[in-house]
Amino acid sequence: MKPIWIVDDDESIRWVLEKALARENLATQSFSSARDAMAALQNGTPQVLVSDIRMPGASGLELLQTVKAKHPGIPVIIITAFSDLDSAVSAFQGGAFEYLAKPFDVDKAVELIRRALDESLRETDIEQGAAQTPEILGQAPAMQDVFRAIGRLSQSNVTVLITGESGSGKELVARALHKHSPRASQPFVALNTAAIPKDLLESELFGHERGAFTGAQAMRRGRFEQAEGGTLFLDEIGDMPLDLQTRLLRVLSDGHFYRVGGHQSLKANVRVIAATHQNLEHRVREGLFREDLYHRLNVIRLRLPSLRERSEDIPILARYFLTQSARQLGVEAKRLSPQAMQFLSQLEFPGNVRQLENLCNWITVMAPGQTVEIKDLPQDLVEERVHAPQPAQIVSAPASAAGAPAPLAQPELSAGAVPAEAVAGNWISLLENEAAQMLASEQPEVMDILGRQFEAALIKIALKHTHGRKNDAAVRLGIGRNTITRKIQELGIGGAEDD
C-alpha cells in the first residue's frame, strides 16, 4: 500500500498526524508546501492526500485540482478553518473527499483518513481487476464461435448482452471484450446488480453527494464515473429493480446522469456490457423488465454455452485449474488419471466452469497422492454419478384383446427395497402427525414454523451436496441466488460459501 501524504506548512500539524497514523501502522510522507507535493507527483502517488488549504505559494485547492486532473481516484482531504466556509465549498466542488475543520480531534481525523483509505483501496482493486484478465480456454466448436465474435467486436464500442447459465464465464468474456477493444487502456469496472441491496444499488451505480441520505458523509463516485472512458460490466442485469432500469435506460439513451442528491448533470463516456442467466424476453412479458431497456442492451447478443455443451473442454480446463490452484498454494500440481478424467468429462456440471474450478481446488487440497483416481474424488460426486437415473428401456408388450397396448409391468423390488411411493407417503404422514400435534396443543404460527423447518432441511442437504457452494445449491433447488442467500441468513444456516 502506498503512503498517506500530509501537506501542511505547520510542522506541528504534520507531526500530530504522522504520530497518530503511525500508531495505526499507516505509512506517511510529509510536505511543507503544495509545490513540493506537486513535484513529488512526478515520481509517485499517495494512497490518500491530506492537505491544508492555505499555505505560502500554491494553495491546497490548486494541489487538489492538480491531483484530480492526473489521478482522479485518489481521495483528497482538505484541512480548513471553521470560518473558511467558502473554501470548504470550493473544496467539495473540486472533488475533495472530505474536509477537516481546525482545530480537529485527532481520533476523528484518523477515522476520516481510514474511510478515505478504504475508498482508495477499492478503486485500486478495480484497476488491478481490469489488468488481470484470466485466460478463456476452449476448443469446442461452440467456444470457437465465441472467440470469433470477440474478434469481430474488437474494434467496436457497441453494447453487448451476454447470456448463459451461472458459472459459464460471462465476466471473463466481458473482460476479453474490453481487453481487445479501443478502450483497453481505460478502466474495466464490474458490478453484480443482484449482489447489491436495492437501497444501495442506485448510489453504487451513479454515486452520491454528501448528505444525500443518512450516512452519506462524503461525496462518492459511482461505477459510471469510475469506468469513465472504459467499460462498465453489469452482471445479472435481469435482477435490476424496475425504477433503476428507468435510470439506466436514460443513461444509455442520452449519456447523462445525476449523482444521488445531485443537481449537476454528468456526462458518461462508458461502454456498457450486460450479462444475465435469465430469459429477458420472458421477464419482459411478465412485466419484470422494461422492453425498451431490453432493446437498448440487446444490440449484440453473445450466448455462452454451458459446460455440458462443451464437454470436450473439460480436460484442458481441469488441467489449467489444477495448475493454477497448485501455484496459489505453492505445491506441485496434481494429475487426473485417464479414468478420473473420463469420469469428470461425463458429469453434468450444473455449476458449469465455476463448479469445475471449485472441484479442482478441492482436489488440490484434499486428494491424496499426485495422481488422482475416481475413488479420490468427492464422495457425493461419485455417488451422484453411480445413482444417476438411467434412460428408461422401452419393452414391447403384447397388445390386449381390444388392440390397446397392455399395461407395462411394474419393476420388481429387491429384498428390503422400499418403493418410492412408500418413502413419499412416510414423510408426508410424519408431517401430518407433527402438524396435528402442534395444532392440538394450540401452538401458534404452525405454518411458519413447519415451513421454516422444511426450507432449512432442503437448503442444508443441497449445500451438503454442493460442498457449501450457495450458487450451485440454488441451481439444484431451482431458486434464485438472491433467494438462497436471504434464506440462509433468515434461517441461520451455516456452512455456506460465497462463490
Side-chain angles (χ1 to χ4, degrees):
M1 186 176 67
K2 299 173 184 177
I4 297 164
W5 285 11
I6 303 169
V7 185
D8 201 307
D9 61 321
D10 188 336
E11 184 178 359
S12 62
I13 295 290
R14 299 199 304 269
W15 185 87
V16 167
L17 290 176
E18 287 170 1
K19 296 301 179 185
L21 294 172
R23 287 195 297 270
E24 300 290 320
N25 296 318
L26 296 174
T28 60
Q29 186 174 350
S30 295
F31 304 88
S32 59
S33 71
R35 292 293 181 199
D36 291 344
M38 290 179 189
L41 284 171
Q42 304 299 321
N43 301 315
T45 57
Q47 202 73 50
V48 173
L49 176 66
V50 183
S51 174
D52 190 14
I53 200 168
R54 293 181 181 263
M55 295 175 284
S59 69
L61 292 179
E62 291 178 75
L63 176 59
L64 170 65
Q65 186 177 10
T66 300
V67 170
K68 286 299 174 182
K70 295 181 178 179
H71 309 284
I74 296 177
V76 179
I77 298 172
I78 293 294
I79 302 176
T80 184
F82 271 122
S83 59
D84 202 3
L85 294 179
D86 289 341
S87 297
V89 172
S90 298
F92 281 117
Q93 290 177 341
F97 178 80
E98 185 58 278
Y99 75 92
L100 274 173
K102 291 181 180 178
F104 55 80
D105 180 85
V106 175
D107 291 336
K108 289 185 177 179
V110 172
E111 179 184 353
L112 175 59
I113 293 171
R114 276 278 186 200
R115 285 200 289 112
L117 191 61
D118 291 341
E119 179 71 14
S120 178
L121 292 173
R122 182 169 166 271
E123 296 267 348
T124 302
D125 288 343
I126 289 172
E127 293 172 4
Q128 290 177 346
Q132 298 170 356
T133 305
E135 289 186 67
I136 304 178
L137 302 176
Q139 297 177 350
M143 285 305 295
Q144 294 302 312
D145 290 341
V146 172
F147 296 160
R148 277 190 286 272
I150 293 173
R152 293 191 183 103
L153 291 167
S154 62
Q155 297 304 314
S156 170
N157 286 316
V158 68
T159 302
V160 178
L161 177 63
I162 306 173
T163 62
E165 296 180 6
S166 294
S168 56
K170 295 186 288 294
E171 183 171 343
L172 284 184
V173 172
R175 289 184 180 276
L177 286 168
H178 171 76
K179 181 180 178 181
H180 297 283
S181 77
R183 298 174 178 262
S185 61
Q186 301 301 316
F188 175 91
V189 177
L191 177 66
N192 187 326
T193 59
I196 308 294
K198 177 183 176 182
D199 296 340
L200 299 179
L201 184 56
E202 185 177 16
S203 171
E204 197 71 27
L205 275 171
F206 305 109
H208 62 250
E209 298 290 352
R210 182 173 182 266
F213 50 83
T214 303
Q217 299 178 356
M219 183 277 288
R220 181 181 179 188
R221 298 162 64 237
R223 298 300 176 97
F224 268 97
E225 287 183 81
Q226 293 167 7
E228 179 64 20
T231 301
L232 177 60
F233 173 57
L234 299 177
D235 199 6
E236 300 302 350
I237 192 71
D239 291 315
M240 179 176 281
L242 278 169
D243 51 347
L244 284 184
Q245 291 179 29
T246 303
R247 287 206 62 183
L248 177 60
L249 176 64
R250 188 174 299 120
V251 180
L252 294 177
S253 300
D254 61 24
H256 290 83
F257 67 95
Y258 293 85
R259 296 193 190 108
V260 177
H263 303 287
Q264 180 181 357
S265 175
L266 301 174
K267 174 71 174 175
N269 175 22
V270 172
R271 180 194 194 181
V272 172
I273 298 176
T276 182
H277 72 284
Q278 303 186 63
N279 187 318
L280 289 188
E281 290 93 338
H282 287 175
R283 291 186 70 79
V284 168
R285 287 195 290 270
E286 293 168 357
L288 299 174
F289 201 84
R290 291 184 61 110
E291 184 174 6
D292 43 7
L293 177 58
Y294 167 69
H295 291 303
R296 280 281 179 182
L297 295 172
N298 193 33
V299 179
I300 298 292
R301 181 184 295 208
L302 195 53
R303 178 188 174 274
L304 282 191
S306 64
L307 190 54
R308 59 184 170 275
E309 295 176 73
R310 45 182 292 221
S311 57
E312 58 263 59
D313 287 337
I314 290 178
I316 61 172
L317 288 168
R319 284 190 285 267
Y320 173 77
F321 289 139
L322 287 172
T323 301
Q324 291 294 101
S325 181
R327 184 176 299 143
Q328 292 169 5
L329 294 174
V331 298
E332 184 182 350
K334 294 185 177 179
R335 298 176 298 277
L336 292 165
S337 70
Q339 294 78 13
M341 188 69 81
Q342 182 179 8
F343 176 84
L344 291 185
S345 298
Q346 295 171 348
L347 294 179
E348 288 293 314
F349 283 110
N352 291 295
V353 180
R354 185 187 296 120
Q355 182 183 358
L356 177 59
E357 181 180 9
N358 292 340
L359 173 61
C360 291
N361 291 334
W362 185 95
I363 290 172
T364 300
V365 175
M366 302 297 293
Q370 287 303 115
T371 301
V372 179
E373 303 291 346
I374 295 178
K375 62 182 177 62
D376 300 322
L377 297 173
Q379 193 61 32
D380 61 332
L381 202 66
V382 178
E383 291 175 353
E384 181 180 325
R385 178 64 183 171
V386 170
H387 297 297
Q390 300 299 317
Q393 292 184 351
I394 300 176
V395 181
S396 59
S400 64
L408 294 176
Q410 296 296 320
E412 293 184 3
L413 297 176
S414 59
V418 182
E421 294 83 0
V423 175
N426 184 43
W427 79 264
I428 293 174
S429 297
L430 292 173
L431 175 63
E432 291 173 346
N433 291 336
E434 179 68 18
Q437 292 178 16
M438 294 174 70
L439 292 168
S441 63
E442 298 184 354
Q443 184 167 340
E445 301 179 347
V446 173
M447 177 74 77
D448 181 60
I449 293 172
L450 291 179
R452 289 172 65 87
Q453 291 176 356
F454 177 76
E455 288 180 335
L458 280 180
I459 293 173
K460 283 179 181 178
I461 196 66
L463 289 171
K464 180 180 178 182
H465 276 282
T466 61
H467 306 291
R469 295 188 293 274
K470 289 191 304 187
N471 292 348
D472 293 347
V475 171
R476 297 286 185 93
L477 292 174
I479 60 178
R481 293 188 295 179
N482 285 352
T483 301
I484 196 171
T485 299
R486 175 168 53 81
K487 292 292 185 184
I488 287 172
Q489 293 173 347
E490 291 176 354
L491 301 171
I493 299 172
E497 298 177 358
D498 290 325
D499 46 354

